[in-house]
Amino acid sequence: MTDLATGSVQDQITARLTATLAPTQLTVVNESGLHAGHMGDDGTGETHFRVEVETSAFEGLNRVARQRLVNQALAELLSTKIHALAIKARAPGES
């Protein structure tokens, strides 16, 4: 596995969520281009992301608890590199 602190921010998000949550489906979309020049844009092109993650780790958890697990997995990145993160979190079989 690649080191969790190397590569693009998008790659780091993918690596951290994969290592922490073992998702059955994971999509990480860099939406920074939609926010160029807005607050939080540091010029790197890697500050705004959307993740869609499906994992059995979310079974029985409400939306807030699921988002907390994602935020915990990405805590370091959220405090240093990520300005905005949209999360869609579901358990297998949910839409």
Side-chain angles (χ1 to χ4, degrees):
M1 181 163 70
T2 61
D3 185 89
L4 299 180
T6 62
S8 69
V9 175
Q10 185 171 354
D11 289 345
Q12 291 178 57
I13 292 169
T14 300
R16 289 167 193 253
L17 292 178
T18 299
T20 305
L21 300 175
T24 51
Q25 292 185 330
L26 176 62
T27 305
V28 180
V29 178
N30 183 343
E31 296 184 335
S32 302
L34 302 173
H35 303 277
H38 297 175
M39 179 177 263
D41 174 28
D42 65 3
T44 65
E46 290 196 294
T47 55
H48 294 70
F49 294 89
R50 178 173 46 87
V51 298
E52 295 183 22
V53 58
E54 176 185 283
T55 177
S56 60
F58 294 152
E59 290 178 357
L61 299 179
N62 65 28
R63 181 183 56 84
V64 173
R66 292 172 181 194
Q67 291 184 350
R68 283 184 181 143
L69 286 177
V70 172
N71 287 339
Q72 288 171 355
L74 302 177
E76 180 185 352
L77 293 173
L78 285 166
S79 69
T80 60
K81 297 181 180 184
I82 299 172
H83 174 72
L85 180 67
I87 302 168
K88 180 175 181 180
R90 65 184 181 277
E94 297 177 348
S95 53

